Amino acid sequence: MNKYVKEKGKKVFAILRGCPGLGRVISGIEIVKTLRDDYYCETRLFTYYNGENLAQKFGFNNEIIGDINKSGLTDIGILPVSQIGAELIRRIVNWNPDIVLIDGEPLLTKALCMVFPRKKVITLVNSCDIENPQTPLSNNLYFRDCFLSSGITICHGFSFPSKMYYYPDNKLFYINTILRKEIIEMKPLNIPNTNRRISCILGGGTKNATESFFTYTLDIGKKVITLADYLEDINIDIYANDDIIAELLLKDLSNSKIHVYKDYCTAEDMYLNTNLVICRSGRNTVSELLYLNLPALLISAGDDFRGKEQKYNIKKAESLSSGQVSGFDMSLPLYELAKIVKNKINNKEIIENKFEPGNKYLIKILEEFLSEND
């Protein structure tokens, strides 16, 4: 980046969807951190629910706007005509930032681009935000129109839509997943190790999640706890990142080989010195597993459209990892699942890492954007 842009500094306002998982918040915060710490940008950030604690952990003062409630929140994010949505847009217009970074908020993106220069708006999306065969065509067209209403759209992940879509005055980029710095600094791991340990990661929390999502998360934890009876010499750490889920799993738990963690844990806590990861198949977690060369068993999040998206993720991950990362069905008998787990843990083959994060390419995009708008 040229010295002039760095010394001048820019203003960045970020809006990161904070439910039901943390994937969007983790990637978004990594970008805002880079702009703040490496490019001297003045930053303001708004996230909610599961994202609030993570924002605070990385030194961001979350915008205080009011309580998010059901009247202002939909399954696809904040309603722009709600009190929260209207206040967010008002603050952005009044502050007049150089960049508005939005992840996971299609309605808010569309509304903001009607009253604020769209060339200043950058949206972060995953491939299913752009092209999703699991939802009706009308939904596909509408959400794509929302996300591509911005000046720049960055689609990042480990799989991509079948074609490059066009929208007037929008620049659409496809790059590999933006990974958090702590993952990149760990570098690909030499697996296996001698600890005989399983990490079960239950996601970013269940606050404001649907009842089915909550129940399915709890069922995964219970399944893994019961699995321990078939794995006598293996320790299991379960990362709930959720007080209620953790308390329910700890109830009547007497197996000393199992530990349940309710608070946010670092990547090193979850990934270092583990032989196998059991988790959902969200974009960010799968990308981290591919980058770190970790063997894993993936679960899709139920049978709704999100679960179907994650089943697609599993197939893609199996292909990219030559089967080192693979899926399993929750209905599989425990003795069969135990066989799969033991085979993966005892497998001595190390798969060469072929997944590179998109962080460097992202920086090039942002540098060009900032230079053009000096």
Side-chain angles (χ1 to χ4, degrees):
M1 188 174 209
N2 65 63
K3 184 178 179 181
Y4 171 72
V5 172
K6 273 198 170 188
E7 288 183 346
K8 184 178 179 181
K10 299 288 182 177
K11 297 195 298 185
V12 179
F13 197 112
I15 302 172
L16 309 175
R17 186 178 180 190
C19 66
L22 275 176
R24 294 184 185 271
V25 181
I26 286 173
S27 295
I29 282 181
E30 187 59 40
I31 297 171
V32 181
K33 277 172 54 188
T34 299
L35 290 169
R36 179 192 67 184
D37 299 341
D38 297 343
Y39 296 108
Y40 315 115
C41 291
E42 182 181 356
T43 58
R44 293 172 65 174
L45 183 146
F46 174 77
T47 184
Y48 51 98
Y49 291 152
N50 299 325
E52 292 177 332
N53 289 337
L54 194 61
Q56 185 177 15
K57 176 180 175 60
F58 289 104
F60 290 98
N61 294 320
N62 196 37
E63 292 281 313
I64 299 175
I65 294 180
D67 292 332
I68 297 281
N69 53 51
K70 291 183 178 180
S71 64
L73 190 65
T74 71
D75 290 339
I76 54 172
I78 296 171
L79 275 172
V81 294
S82 67
Q83 183 176 355
I84 294 290
E87 177 61 17
L88 272 172
I89 293 173
R90 186 192 69 80
R91 291 190 185 189
I92 290 169
V93 172
N94 288 346
W95 195 46
N96 192 26
D98 299 283
I99 298 176
V100 179
L101 186 73
I102 307 184
D103 197 339
E105 299 286 346
L107 303 180
L108 201 58
T109 298
K110 185 69 173 179
L112 178 65
C113 289
M114 293 177 178
V115 296
F116 191 74
R118 56 179 291 184
K119 68 177 183 178
K120 294 184 176 184
V121 181
I122 299 176
T123 50
L124 300 174
V125 299
N126 62 43
S127 61
C128 287
D129 292 330
I130 299 295
E131 179 184 86
N132 192 340
Q134 312 301 335
T135 59
L137 177 60
S138 58
N139 292 30
N140 267 256
L141 295 174
Y142 180 71
F143 295 140
R144 189 184 304 151
D145 177 79
C146 290
F147 287 123
L148 298 183
S149 293
S150 61
I152 291 178
T153 302
I154 301 172
C155 178
H156 66 114
F158 57 89
S159 63
F160 301 103
S162 60
K163 63 180 181 179
M164 179 71 77
Y165 289 91
Y166 172 77
Y167 197 86
D169 300 321
N170 172 272
K171 293 181 180 179
L172 174 59
F173 299 91
Y174 292 159
I175 66 174
N176 282 349
T177 313
I178 301 158
L179 297 183
R180 45 187 165 157
K181 186 177 181 181
E182 59 183 311
I183 293 291
I184 295 175
E185 289 180 343
M186 288 172 67
K187 300 180 180 179
L189 305 175
N190 290 322
I191 302 299
N193 60 64
T194 59
N195 290 285
R196 301 189 70 75
R197 168 179 172 256
I198 293 173
S199 289
C200 174
I201 304 171
L202 297 182
T206 61
K207 190 171 183 180
N208 198 54
T210 62
E211 184 177 349
S212 61
F213 186 90
F214 179 92
T215 301
Y216 204 78
T217 300
L218 185 61
D219 287 345
I220 294 171
K222 288 180 176 179
K223 183 92 171 182
V224 172
I225 286 174
T226 311
L227 178 67
D229 294 334
Y230 295 79
L231 304 170
E232 298 84 0
D233 60 339
I234 297 174
N235 293 310
I236 299 176
D237 291 327
I238 300 177
Y239 298 95
N241 200 28
D242 187 287
D243 290 347
I244 299 176
I245 292 289
E247 288 175 6
L248 291 172
L249 292 177
L250 286 167
K251 187 178 181 181
D252 302 323
L253 178 63
S254 58
N255 192 329
S256 61
K257 297 183 303 179
I258 302 174
H259 296 88
V260 179
Y261 300 90
K262 66 178 182 179
D263 297 321
Y264 174 82
C265 295
T266 67
E268 289 189 352
D269 293 330
M270 295 185 290
Y271 292 140
L272 280 183
N273 302 317
T274 190
N275 300 87
L276 177 70
V277 175
I278 298 177
C279 62
R280 279 199 179 88
S281 48
R283 171 192 58 180
N284 281 63
T285 304
V286 173
S287 298
E288 291 175 355
L289 294 170
L290 293 173
Y291 176 71
L292 293 174
N293 286 343
L294 274 169
L297 286 173
L298 304 178
I299 312 163
S300 62
D303 295 322
D304 60 4
F305 74 94
R306 184 172 289 108
K308 292 175 181 177
E309 291 173 10
Q310 294 196 355
K311 287 177 182 177
Y312 174 79
N313 286 348
I314 290 173
K315 291 182 180 179
K316 186 66 176 179
E318 288 175 338
S319 173
L320 291 172
S321 69
S322 301
Q324 182 168 256
V325 175
S326 59
F328 82 93
D329 193 315
M330 280 283 285
S331 63
L332 193 69
L334 285 168
Y335 69 91
E336 291 287 351
L337 179 57
K339 287 181 183 179
I340 295 173
V341 168
K342 289 177 181 178
N343 286 338
K344 281 191 174 289
I345 287 179
N346 294 327
N347 185 7
K348 304 301 181 183
E349 181 182 5
I350 299 175
I351 304 298
E352 180 184 356
N353 171 44
K354 296 181 181 179
F355 184 83
E356 290 294 332
N359 297 50
K360 291 182 180 179
Y361 191 22
L362 169 78
I363 291 301
K364 291 181 181 179
I365 296 171
L366 293 176
E367 286 182 352
E368 181 179 348
F369 175 86
L370 291 172
S371 297
E372 288 178 352
N373 289 277
D374 273 337

